[in-house]
């Protein structure tokens, strides 16, 4: 049993949950404990070279041992907080030796080895204290952690935002910025297949579900820069996810006030066919209704996803990944009151709405992937995929507003209400947007391994067909005067001369675009491990190339060839301290996708060229023991030099490009992440990051980019009560400094730059575990039929911070001053949840 002393000498007890929650914010700095020798668990599935499970594999560790069952799975308990060496042996296969692994008390570590007829030894350069030490600079996140951590949009992206260098100031969005990049600069792969997102979504509350279903994930890798050539042509990051291969029948059902999801896993009797199917439903009503705009809202998000595998022989396997999703967002806003300003000069904005918006995003995705094993050294795969989306945005919203003072009389009947109107006006927004996009991919990849060296290659053909109709406009009437756009300039000599020009919208975009793009890309990379004296060295040298042709229907075509060399180096010195040093350099070029070709007015510029970025990343990974518990400190410094930059603006989650290459930019910073058992038996981490990114447009000088997020703090914390170890607590805290984005849409960024307020948020989750792999029950017990069973609650935005994502600009009729009225995000919300697995 573990005795944990909290600050202020507050003891734990069954009835002390409130004290536990209050102490969590400082626990990671002040916790001290005395740990008695406990156990940890290592589990997984043992596969052969054809990815088939192997039964009767002997697994030994000192005086402990076990064997795999008929499905190749195993569970082994080892002594925690000390070095262990685990050996996997089987007749006809060479041993796998897992060296110097240290697990924390009660930790469950998943390890899925592939046994070969050739010798394999996994040494400390691969596995070390606190799990995996990856020489490639890839962050590995346990999928079980992803499923537990609370968040308004819980899942993979929710955990990514707790990493240094990753940020976005909107809890309802699954999109994220990495080291100064935007949403379009991130790669996402599922089982080696690139996946896509809807294009037109402009508000986070319209997003719904991420493509990635967390319940299907087996492993997750993430790189914030300096990644290998095998990953595609994007500027910022790569998220590489593998879905599970089921080993037995399983049915999982979970639900909450936000929706429900079901996951089904099946395996045929001969183990040749497996299926993994997930269905998700989500309703964002409780979040939308917590905002200051009162609405009649009906957001519905449905997603069905399947991963099927059939093994025809030991050398040939066919996989299918399919996804169908509908985001149906209907909103009828009613009214809004936002109080802002200072204590000395409080103000209020009242808005009354008419009309509604109806948005629908329907996507279908299907991919076939064939895996061939030529021999024990060579593997080949062939992939064909199709992505289709139909996105509709229809809205007619009239907003009448009033700007006034706020009644601050504590004894009055109208406390907090608006008085003394200083400005009135109206705004009409209209949209009739339809996008139909089809993306086809045909790809081949290969891998040749010999001892510790590896040669990988790949080639892919992509065809994109976009059909886009854009019809949107905004009319503004402020303080009784109709506001025209600033460009083109006009002459208004009222009242001496009548102004008889037509009424035009303040902002508008009208275009019909038909654009087709063909791309051929490929890569070749070689990696090896060497020794230099007693030091271990790893390196990877790679090369990417792509040729693409853009064919708009109403203008001439454009084509470009890009060439991107990349390299990664790592050295593990023969030191007493467990350290690893990494260096990554390379060229990263991003050819324009359709959204990058479309300017603010909706017109397509086919002459937009690929944006270019040179990455320089220097990192260190230091593993150590503190209070008999393992910790890892990961630190990186980076610099990115960008040319041919296509500038853009961000409004909520909507990106609008200038559709040119008239800027250059840079980004630099440092990231730190301390990972380990702050509380024995529970993994947590603390992240710190600093970023500065600026751009120079048309040689006018450097100014902050829209993603210039200077400081980042993230905390992921897990805890449990020693007297009730099945009562688990999960906490995530994010603090980001404000980014540029609070300026009016038509403002020149060189003349006016206003930052949004800092983003502060904490989400808390408490669950009681009735059954899981560590809590099994006899057949006579009513919980025996459950593989997993938990219930709990979550509190989103624990401290009810008022965060904002954009500003609404209104004019004071008396002084003609403009005021930035923040559009606040979600407030504190309680969510109840449960999880069952049979």
């Amino acid at each position: 049993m573990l005795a944990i002393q909290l600050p202020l000498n507050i003891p734990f007890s069954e009835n002390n949950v409130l004290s536990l929650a209050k102490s969590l914010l400082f626990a990671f700095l002040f916790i001290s404990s005395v740990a008695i020798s406990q156990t940890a668990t290592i589990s997984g599935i043992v596969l052969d070279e054809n990815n088939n499970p192997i039964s009767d594999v002997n697994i030994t560790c000192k005086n402990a041992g076990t064997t795999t069952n008929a499905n190749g799975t195993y569970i082994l308990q080892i002594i925690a907080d000390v070095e262990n060496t685990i050996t996997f042996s089987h007749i006809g296969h060479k041993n796998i030796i897992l060296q110097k692994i240290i697990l924390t008390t009660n930790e469950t570590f998943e390890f899925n080895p592939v046994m070969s007829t050739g010798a394999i030894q996994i040494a400390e350069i691969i596995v070390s204290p606190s799990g995996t030490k990856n020489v490639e600079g890839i962050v590995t996140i346990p999928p079980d952690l992803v499923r537990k951590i609370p968040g308004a949009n819980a899942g993979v992206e929710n955990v990514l935002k707790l990493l240094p260098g990753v940020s976005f100031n909107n809890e309802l969005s699954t999109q994220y910025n990495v080291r100064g990049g935007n949403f379009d600069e991130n790669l996402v792969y599922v089982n080696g297949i690139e996946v896509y997102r809807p294009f037109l979504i402009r508000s986070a509350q319209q997003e719904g579900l991420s493509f990635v279903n967390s319940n299907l994930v087996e492993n997750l890798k993430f790189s914030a820069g300096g990644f290998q050539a095998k990953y595609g042509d994007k500027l910022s990051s790569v998220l590489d996810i593998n879905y599970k291969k089921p080993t037995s029948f399983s049915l999982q059902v979970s639900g909450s006030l936000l929706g429900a999801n079901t996951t089904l896993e099946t395996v045929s009797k001969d183990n040749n066919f497996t299926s993994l199917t997930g269905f998700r439903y989500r309703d964002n009503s409780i979040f939308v209704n917590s905002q200051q705009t009162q609405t009649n809202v009906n957001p519905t998000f449905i997603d069905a996803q399947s991963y099927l595998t059939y093994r025809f022989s030991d050398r040939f396997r066919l996989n299918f990944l399919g996804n169908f999703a509908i985001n149906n967002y209907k909103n009828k806003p009613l009214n809004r009151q936002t109080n802002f300003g200072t204590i000395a000069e409080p103000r209020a904005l009242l808005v009354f709405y008419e009309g509604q918006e109806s948005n629908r995003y329907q996507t279908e995705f299907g991919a076939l992937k064939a895996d061939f094993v030529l021999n024990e050294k060579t593997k080949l795969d062939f992939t064909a995929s199709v992505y289709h989306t139909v996105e509709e945005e229809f809205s007619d919203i009239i907003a009448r507003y009033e700007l006034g003072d706020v009644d601050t009389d504590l004894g009055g009947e109208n406390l907090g209400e608006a008085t003394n109107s200083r400005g009135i006006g109206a705004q009409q927004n209209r949209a009739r947007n339809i996008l139909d996009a089809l993306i086809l991919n045909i790809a081949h990849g290969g891998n040749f391994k010999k001892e510790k060296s590896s040669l990988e290659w790949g080639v892919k053909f992509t065809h994109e067909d976009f059909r886009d109709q854009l019809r949107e406009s905004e009319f503004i009437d402020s303080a009784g005067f109709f506001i025209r756009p600033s460009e083109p300039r006009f002459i208004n000599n009222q009242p001496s001369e009548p102004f008889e020009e037509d009424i035009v919208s303040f902002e508008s975009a009208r275009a019909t675009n038909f654009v087709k793009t063909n791309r051929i890309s490929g890569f070749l990379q070689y990696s090896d491990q060497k020794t230099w004296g007693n030091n271990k060295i790893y390196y990877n040298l790679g090369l990417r190339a792509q040729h693409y042709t853009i064919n708009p229907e109403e203008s001439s075509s454009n084509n470009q060839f890009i060439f991107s060399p990349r390299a990664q180096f790592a050295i593990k010195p023969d030191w007493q301290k467990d350290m690893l040093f990494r260096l990554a350099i390379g060229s990263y070029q991003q050819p324009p996708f359709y959204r990058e070709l479309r300017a603010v007015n909706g017109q397509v510029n086919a002459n937009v060229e690929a944006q270019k970025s040179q990455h320089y990343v220097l990192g260190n990974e230091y593993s150590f023991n503190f209070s008999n518990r393992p910790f890892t400190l990961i630190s990186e410094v980076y610099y990115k030099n960008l040319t041919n930059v296509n500038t853009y603006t961000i409004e909520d989650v909507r990106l609008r490009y200038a559709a040119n290459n008239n800027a250059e930019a840079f980004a630099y910073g440092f990231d730190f992440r301390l990972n380990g058992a702050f509380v024995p038996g529970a993994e947590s981490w603390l992240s710190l990051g600093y970023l500065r990114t600026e751009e120079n447009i048309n040689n006018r000088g450097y100014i902050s980019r829209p993603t210039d997020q200077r400081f980042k703090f993230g905390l992921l914390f897990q805890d449990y009560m020693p007297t009730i170890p099945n009562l688990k607590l999960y906490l995530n805290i994010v603090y980001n400094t404000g980014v540029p984005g609070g300026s009016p849409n038509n403002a020149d960024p060189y003349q006016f730059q206003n930052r949004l307020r800092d983003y502060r948020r904490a989400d808390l989750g408490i669950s009681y575990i009735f059954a899981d792999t560590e809590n099994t029950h006899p057949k006579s017990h009513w919980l025996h039929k459950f593989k997993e069973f938990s219930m709990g609650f979550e509190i989103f935005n624990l401290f009810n911070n008022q965060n904002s994502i954009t500003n609404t600009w209104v004019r004071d009729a008396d002084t003609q001053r403009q005021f930035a009225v923040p559009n606040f995000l979600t407030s504190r919300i309680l969510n109840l949840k449960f999880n069952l697995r049979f």
Side-chain angles (χ1 to χ4, degrees):
M1 184 56 62
L2 300 171
I4 301 177
Q5 182 68 41
L6 283 179
L8 306 180
N9 296 319
I10 301 176
F12 278 97
S13 67
E14 290 87 345
N15 299 318
N16 212 354
V17 177
L18 181 59
S19 298
L20 171 65
K22 290 181 178 179
S23 302
L24 281 173
L25 296 179
F26 305 97
F28 69 95
L29 294 175
F30 297 101
I31 285 178
S32 60
S33 63
V34 179
I36 301 174
S37 179
Q38 296 281 332
T39 61
T41 303
I42 180 170
S43 62
I45 178 173
V46 182
L47 304 172
D48 62 16
E49 295 174 317
N50 299 320
N51 284 332
N52 300 315
I54 307 176
S55 61
D56 299 321
V57 176
N58 291 315
I59 307 168
T60 58
C61 176
K62 295 182 179 179
N63 298 325
T66 186
T67 59
T68 58
N69 62 17
N71 295 319
T73 60
Y74 70 94
I75 298 177
L76 176 68
Q77 284 194 334
I78 62 176
I79 299 175
D81 303 320
V82 299
E83 288 188 355
N84 292 276
T85 297
I86 302 173
T87 303
F88 297 77
S89 60
H90 187 264
I91 297 176
H93 297 85
K94 294 296 183 180
N95 293 353
I96 291 180
I97 302 175
L98 189 62
Q99 291 183 348
K100 295 184 180 181
I101 181 171
I102 302 177
L103 300 183
T104 59
T105 302
N106 297 328
E107 180 181 359
T108 298
F109 179 70
E110 184 176 338
F111 180 63
N112 303 312
V114 178
M115 303 196 75
S116 170
T117 55
I120 297 179
Q121 175 149 327
I122 301 181
E124 64 269 21
I125 192 170
I126 301 297
V127 179
S128 66
S130 290
T132 301
K133 184 187 295 296
N134 199 304
V135 296
E136 301 171 4
I138 299 286
V139 176
T140 302
I141 301 175
D144 191 49
L145 193 65
V146 172
R147 292 186 276 268
K148 292 177 179 177
I149 299 303
N153 214 328
V156 173
E157 296 85 356
N158 179 53
V159 176
L160 288 183
K161 293 176 185 179
L162 297 173
L163 295 175
V166 183
S167 63
F168 188 54
N169 297 354
N170 195 326
E171 60 272 5
L172 291 182
S173 175
T174 61
Q175 305 191 66
Y176 50 92
N177 305 318
V178 180
R179 292 179 175 174
N182 65 35
F183 319 136
D184 291 340
E185 298 176 12
N186 304 313
L187 283 162
V188 180
Y189 292 95
V190 174
N191 287 46
I193 303 166
E194 185 176 356
V195 298
Y196 304 88
R197 298 180 49 83
F199 300 94
L200 293 186
I201 289 177
R202 63 180 66 198
S203 170
Q205 61 194 31
Q206 301 170 0
E207 275 195 36
L209 297 162
S210 162
F211 181 94
V212 180
N213 187 331
S214 300
N215 289 339
L216 311 186
V217 175
E218 181 178 55
N219 58 63
L220 183 156
K221 299 178 181 179
F222 177 77
S223 174
F227 43 87
Q228 296 180 353
K230 66 179 178 181
Y231 298 116
D233 297 301
K234 297 282 188 178
L235 295 181
S236 292
S237 74
V238 58
L239 176 62
D240 191 3
I241 292 172
N242 282 327
Y243 279 175
K244 295 185 289 187
K245 182 180 179 182
T247 58
S248 61
F249 175 84
S250 175
L251 175 64
Q252 182 175 357
V253 179
S254 59
S256 71
L257 299 180
L258 296 172
N261 63 74
T262 302
T263 305
L264 177 65
E265 303 178 28
T266 66
V267 181
S268 64
K269 291 183 178 180
D270 57 6
N271 290 325
N272 286 336
F273 176 76
T274 64
S275 70
L276 182 65
T277 304
F279 176 82
R280 295 179 292 175
Y281 166 80
R282 181 179 173 89
D283 186 337
N284 273 348
S285 295
I286 64 173
F287 286 115
V288 177
N289 292 330
S290 75
Q291 298 173 316
Q292 292 188 330
T293 300
Q294 302 301 309
T295 68
N296 290 325
V297 62
N298 182 28
T300 303
F301 312 107
I302 299 174
D303 168 85
Q305 201 163 143
S306 286
Y307 180 60
L308 313 177
T309 299
Y310 187 82
R311 182 173 64 92
F312 289 89
S313 68
D314 292 341
R315 295 182 177 274
F316 175 47
R317 185 178 62 182
L318 190 63
N319 313 281
F320 171 77
L321 175 64
N323 178 74
F324 176 77
I326 296 178
N327 290 9
N328 197 5
Y329 182 84
K330 294 183 179 180
N331 181 28
K332 186 177 181 180
L334 302 175
N335 57 74
R336 161 190 173 181
Q337 177 173 340
T338 302
N339 294 343
F340 65 101
T342 63
I343 296 178
E345 195 177 7
R347 296 185 181 275
L349 174 70
L350 280 77
V351 186
F352 302 92
Y353 296 94
E354 295 181 25
Q356 65 179 351
E357 59 177 322
S358 177
N359 304 323
R360 179 183 172 90
Y361 313 91
Q362 178 174 316
T363 61
E364 303 100 23
F365 177 81
L368 276 174
K369 185 178 181 182
D371 295 324
F372 295 90
V373 179
L374 294 184
N375 50 55
E376 64 180 19
K377 297 180 180 179
T378 308
K379 296 181 180 179
L380 306 175
D381 63 71
F382 297 88
T383 305
S385 67
V386 57
Y387 174 83
H388 180 238
T389 180
V390 176
E391 305 174 24
E392 299 174 345
E393 292 184 325
F394 299 145
S395 68
D396 282 288
I397 302 291
I398 299 176
R400 296 181 175 87
Y401 78 84
E402 177 182 351
L403 178 67
D405 297 329
V406 177
D407 190 339
T408 58
D409 184 4
L410 296 178
E413 297 180 355
N414 300 322
L415 177 64
E417 296 184 4
T419 61
N420 301 328
S421 176
R422 291 180 176 273
I424 58 174
Q427 175 178 308
Q428 179 181 357
N429 291 88
R430 185 176 188 273
R432 297 291 187 273
N433 302 331
I434 302 175
L435 175 72
D436 190 333
L438 180 68
I439 303 175
L440 303 173
N441 288 286
I442 301 175
H444 159 65
N447 188 338
F448 174 80
K449 290 185 177 181
K450 184 177 180 182
E451 297 179 350
K452 294 183 179 181
S453 63
S454 174
L455 179 67
E456 296 180 72
W457 66 90
V459 62
K460 182 168 74 170
F461 170 77
T462 302
H463 174 74
E464 302 161 4
D465 188 349
F466 284 86
R467 304 181 181 189
D468 182 20
Q469 176 182 288
L470 185 64
R471 300 285 188 275
E472 61 182 45
S473 57
E474 178 183 28
F475 295 85
I476 299 178
D477 175 23
S478 178
F481 296 95
F482 178 75
I483 298 180
R484 299 176 65 88
S486 57
E487 296 292 340
R489 294 185 176 276
F490 61 94
I491 300 175
N492 184 355
N493 293 324
Q494 294 187 92
S496 59
E497 297 179 8
F499 185 75
E500 299 177 346
E501 297 296 329
D502 294 335
I503 294 178
V504 296
S505 58
F506 181 71
E507 286 188 349
S508 66
R510 297 180 62 85
T512 300
N513 302 317
F514 298 91
V515 180
K516 295 181 180 180
T517 306
N518 293 318
R519 308 179 190 270
I520 299 178
S521 60
F523 75 90
L524 179 67
Q525 68 178 38
Y526 176 79
S527 60
D528 200 358
Q529 296 185 35
K530 301 288 186 181
T531 57
W532 179 28
N534 293 325
N535 305 308
K536 295 181 175 63
I537 297 176
Y538 166 90
Y539 65 90
N540 178 284
L541 304 175
L543 181 65
R544 281 197 69 85
Q546 181 178 147
H547 180 271
Y548 66 92
T549 303
I550 301 173
N551 296 297
E553 187 175 82
E554 297 183 358
S555 61
S556 60
S557 63
N558 179 38
N559 63 83
Q560 186 181 6
F561 178 80
I562 60 174
F563 183 76
S564 303
R566 304 173 188 177
Q568 295 81 32
F569 304 90
I571 180 170
K572 190 176 189 303
D574 184 26
W575 295 350
Q576 184 177 359
K577 292 184 178 180
D578 187 2
M579 281 197 175
L580 181 75
F581 296 91
R582 293 189 295 262
L583 173 66
I585 56 177
S587 172
Y588 298 81
Q589 302 191 55
Q590 181 168 322
F593 210 49
Y594 172 71
R595 188 155 66 172
E596 295 157 84
L597 298 172
R598 196 178 75 176
V600 174
N601 61 5
Q603 301 300 319
V604 167
N605 179 12
N607 294 318
V608 175
E609 296 182 349
Q611 301 182 81
K612 301 178 181 180
S613 177
Q614 286 77 44
H615 289 199
Y616 306 90
V617 184
L618 179 63
N620 170 259
E621 188 168 335
Y622 172 41
S623 297
F624 60 95
N625 287 328
F626 179 76
S627 296
N628 294 320
R629 297 192 300 273
F631 289 85
T632 299
L633 176 63
I634 302 173
S635 55
E636 287 189 340
V637 293
Y638 59 88
Y639 178 81
K640 297 196 291 187
N641 180 49
L642 296 96
T643 55
N644 264 20
V645 173
N646 188 353
T647 57
Y648 58 89
T649 59
I650 303 177
E651 184 178 359
D652 205 327
V653 298
R654 188 189 192 192
L655 292 176
R656 297 202 294 181
Y657 288 90
N660 55 33
N661 301 104
N662 66 338
E664 58 185 10
F666 67 83
Y668 66 81
F670 58 81
D671 293 332
F672 295 99
R673 184 165 75 102
L674 179 62
N675 180 81
F678 296 111
V679 173
E683 179 185 7
S684 303
W685 73 62
L686 171 70
S687 298
L688 290 173
Y690 173 80
L691 162 72
R692 183 171 183 175
T693 179
E694 296 182 350
E695 60 189 8
N696 179 6
I697 306 174
N698 289 328
N699 292 320
R700 297 178 66 186
Y702 281 93
I703 58 173
S704 294
R705 305 193 77 195
T707 54
D708 188 25
Q709 188 102 57
R710 292 298 174 87
F711 181 75
K712 160 71 178 286
F713 169 83
L715 172 66
L716 185 151
F717 188 78
Q718 298 187 75
D719 200 357
Y720 60 92
M721 296 185 65
T723 53
I724 313 178
N726 284 357
L727 185 62
K728 309 288 187 180
L729 187 146
Y730 312 98
L731 175 72
N732 69 70
I733 298 176
V734 174
Y735 170 78
N736 295 327
T737 53
V739 295
S743 308
N745 288 340
N746 60 334
D748 183 350
Y750 280 89
Q751 300 296 328
F752 188 90
Q753 267 209 353
N754 189 44
R755 286 181 178 264
L756 296 168
R757 59 177 62 190
D758 295 351
Y759 182 83
R760 301 179 295 271
R761 186 176 179 88
D763 295 324
L764 172 71
I766 295 179
S767 296
Y768 186 84
I769 311 299
F770 294 92
D772 61 8
T773 55
E774 298 178 4
N775 298 277
T776 57
H777 300 272
K779 291 184 178 181
S780 58
H781 199 282
W782 69 277
L783 289 172
H784 174 73
K785 59 184 177 181
F786 296 105
K787 295 180 180 178
E788 295 179 9
F789 179 24
S790 65
M791 297 184 67
F793 66 90
E794 298 169 323
I795 302 177
F796 303 129
N797 199 1
L798 181 63
F799 303 111
N800 202 28
N801 296 115
Q802 287 192 314
N803 298 306
S804 64
I805 189 62
T806 56
N807 287 331
T808 297
W809 289 84
V810 294
R811 187 184 302 275
D812 188 325
D814 295 337
T815 64
Q816 295 301 305
R817 292 168 56 194
Q818 289 196 72
F819 292 90
V821 183
N823 297 315
F824 292 118
L825 295 170
T826 60
S827 58
R828 184 190 295 119
I829 293 172
L830 173 68
N831 182 43
L832 305 178
K833 66 174 186 177
F834 72 90
N835 179 58
L836 303 173
R837 185 167 176 261
F838 303 92

